[in-house]
């Protein structure tokens, strides 16, 4: 198939390009950075340089590629600030709103039949009930302070993709990424904080995280491109786990000391509402639908195996 990937040089985009090319697909990769075009060509893609927020440039690029499938993997996350996640996601939120609208319009104009968009699981579901949420479980309606704009952008993307007329719209709600090119890698910023003991367990550490190795995220995306039915899929490993379980394992994997404990009220003051929620009461997700309907199985069924491989 002819496949157009916006955000092809990103954390998911690079392994996705490699896996699609290996499977025999014809890939066009869009990047905003000219320096990354050579990297995409080396991976086997035909690079195209365009700004996702430039509607005319996106229309021209997608039309020229004549894709059967358009894939949205655009993000531009700024310096992380747990007290105000919206500030770190300003550019990404524009890509999830304006960028999504441009890509959907371009896909329709170019005659594509399928559109696959990147969403994010951790803030999607209500922070109540069991630890692992399915795609049809209630969605978050009262996010922590300074997560409102980010969640609204996620909702916009999902509605635009699944509601696009004339397109088979597929949304992938990924769990937290780890592996090469992410924050949880040997050279990642989050792994460095953990190794230096700067990432404590807050309160009871009951926030449940669903994680996914970046190669497994790409493999699930290939499955969605090739045989997914329209709809929404959670993409995560088989073991949602509270922070108090996975954080010490990560510290051991990266050679750090065991994370210290911090009282909940201190954590709330230091991290703000968003950071406190991430550490104490967000919920993970079930990957049962993706495994069943996409015929996909993560190579790293658990973060325990994946961390050990770091």
């Amino acid at each position: 198939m002819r496949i157009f990937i916006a955000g092809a040089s990103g954390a998911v985009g690079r392994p996705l390009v490699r896996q699609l090319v290996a499977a025999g697909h014809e890939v066009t990769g869009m990047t905003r950075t000219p320096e990354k075009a050579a990297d995409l060509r080396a991976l086997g893609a035909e690079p195209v340089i365009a700004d996702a927020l430039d509607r005319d440039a996106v229309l021209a690029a997608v039309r020229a590629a004549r894709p059967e499938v358009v894939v949205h993997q655009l993000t531009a996350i700024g310096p992380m600030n747990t007290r105000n996640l919206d500030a770190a996601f300003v550019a990404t939120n524009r890509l999830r709103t304006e960028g999504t609208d441009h890509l959907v319009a371009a896909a329709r104009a170019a005659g594509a039949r399928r559109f696959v968009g990147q969403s994010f699981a951790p803030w999607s579901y209500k922070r109540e009930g069991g630890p692992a949420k399915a795609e049809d479980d209630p969605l978050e309606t009262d996010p922590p302070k300074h997560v409102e704009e980010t969640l609204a952008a996620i909702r916009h993307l999902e509605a635009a993709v699944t509601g696009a007329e004339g397109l088979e719209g597929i949304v992938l709600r990924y769990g937290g990424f780890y592996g090469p090119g992410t924050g949880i890698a040997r050279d990642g910023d989050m792994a460095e904080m953990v190794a230096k003991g700067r990432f404590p367990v807050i309160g009871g550490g009951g926030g449940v995280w669903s994680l996914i190795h970046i190669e497994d995220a790409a493999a699930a995306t290939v499955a969605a491109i090739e045989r997914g039915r329209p709809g929404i899929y959670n993409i995560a490993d088989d073991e949602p786990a509270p922070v108090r379980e996975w954080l010490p394992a990560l510290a051991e994997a990266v050679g750090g000391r065991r994370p210290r404990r911090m009282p909940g009220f201190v954590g709330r003051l230091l991290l703000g509402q968003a950071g406190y929620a991430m550490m104490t009461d967000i919920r993970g997700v079930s990957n049962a639908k993706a495994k069943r309907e996409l015929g996909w199985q993560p190579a790293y069924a658990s973060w325990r195996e994946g961390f050990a491989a770091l």
Side-chain angles (χ1 to χ4, degrees):
M1 287 189 289
R2 293 187 305 278
I3 301 165
F4 185 97
I5 303 175
S9 59
V12 179
R14 291 176 60 84
L16 178 58
V17 168
R18 176 168 33 78
Q19 291 185 27
L20 286 170
V21 170
H25 297 294
E26 181 181 328
V27 180
T28 299
M30 188 179 90
T31 178
R32 186 181 60 176
T33 310
E35 293 77 12
K36 294 180 180 178
D39 293 337
L40 290 175
R41 183 171 282 110
L43 290 171
E46 180 62 33
V48 59
I49 300 168
D51 185 342
L53 299 178
D54 184 333
R55 186 176 187 276
D56 291 340
V58 172
L59 283 168
V62 177
R63 278 176 169 156
R66 299 180 299 108
E68 298 165 75
V69 182
V70 173
V71 183
H72 180 347
Q73 293 288 349
L74 294 161
T75 58
I77 301 171
M80 193 54 62
N81 176 2
T82 61
R83 298 188 65 84
N84 188 350
L85 286 182
D86 284 338
F89 281 82
V90 168
T92 294
N93 291 343
R94 287 192 68 192
L95 293 172
R96 286 175 173 162
T97 52
E98 297 171 51
T100 299
D101 292 346
H102 296 164
L103 282 168
V104 167
R108 294 180 62 196
R113 62 178 177 84
R114 176 167 295 180
F115 192 105
V116 179
Q118 179 194 123
S119 187
F120 189 55
W123 293 114
S124 293
Y125 299 98
K126 276 189 174 296
R127 291 168 288 138
E128 61 185 28
K133 302 298 184 179
E135 289 81 354
D136 56 357
D137 279 333
L139 299 177
E140 180 63 85
T141 56
D142 185 26
K145 185 178 181 181
H146 298 312
V147 184
E148 301 96 335
E149 294 175 9
T150 298
L151 185 58
I154 289 171
R155 293 280 186 271
H156 179 98
L157 180 149
E158 294 189 353
V161 173
T162 58
E165 185 178 350
L167 289 172
E168 299 171 353
I170 297 174
V171 167
L172 304 179
R173 286 179 180 154
Y174 297 106
F177 294 140
Y178 71 95
T182 76
I184 306 180
R186 274 294 177 183
D187 58 350
D189 52 0
M190 181 174 167
E192 182 180 359
M193 289 177 62
V194 171
K196 293 181 178 179
R198 297 177 182 171
F199 204 109
V201 175
I202 305 298
V208 178
W209 290 39
S210 279
L211 299 165
I212 185 72
H213 192 282
I214 202 72
E215 292 287 343
D216 283 332
T221 310
V222 172
I225 289 168
E226 293 181 337
R227 54 188 176 272
R229 292 189 296 178
I232 296 175
Y233 300 84
N234 293 329
I235 305 299
D237 71 17
D238 297 346
E239 191 179 358
V243 174
R244 62 177 174 266
E245 289 186 17
W246 66 258
L247 186 55
L250 177 59
E252 181 179 358
V254 298
R257 58 181 180 269
R258 189 171 183 83
R260 59 195 173 94
R261 295 271 183 163
M262 180 178 291
F265 75 92
V266 177
R268 188 188 292 272
L269 288 173
L270 290 177
L271 302 180
Q273 291 184 23
Y276 181 77
M278 291 170 65
M279 300 298 286
T280 62
D281 71 350
I282 62 169
R283 297 299 192 268
V285 297
S286 166
N287 64 10
K289 179 182 178 182
K291 292 169 70 175
R292 181 179 67 250
E293 297 189 12
L294 299 179
W296 164 76
Q297 175 69 47
Y300 295 104
S302 168
W303 44 269
R304 299 176 194 275
E305 305 161 6
F307 287 176
L310 292 178

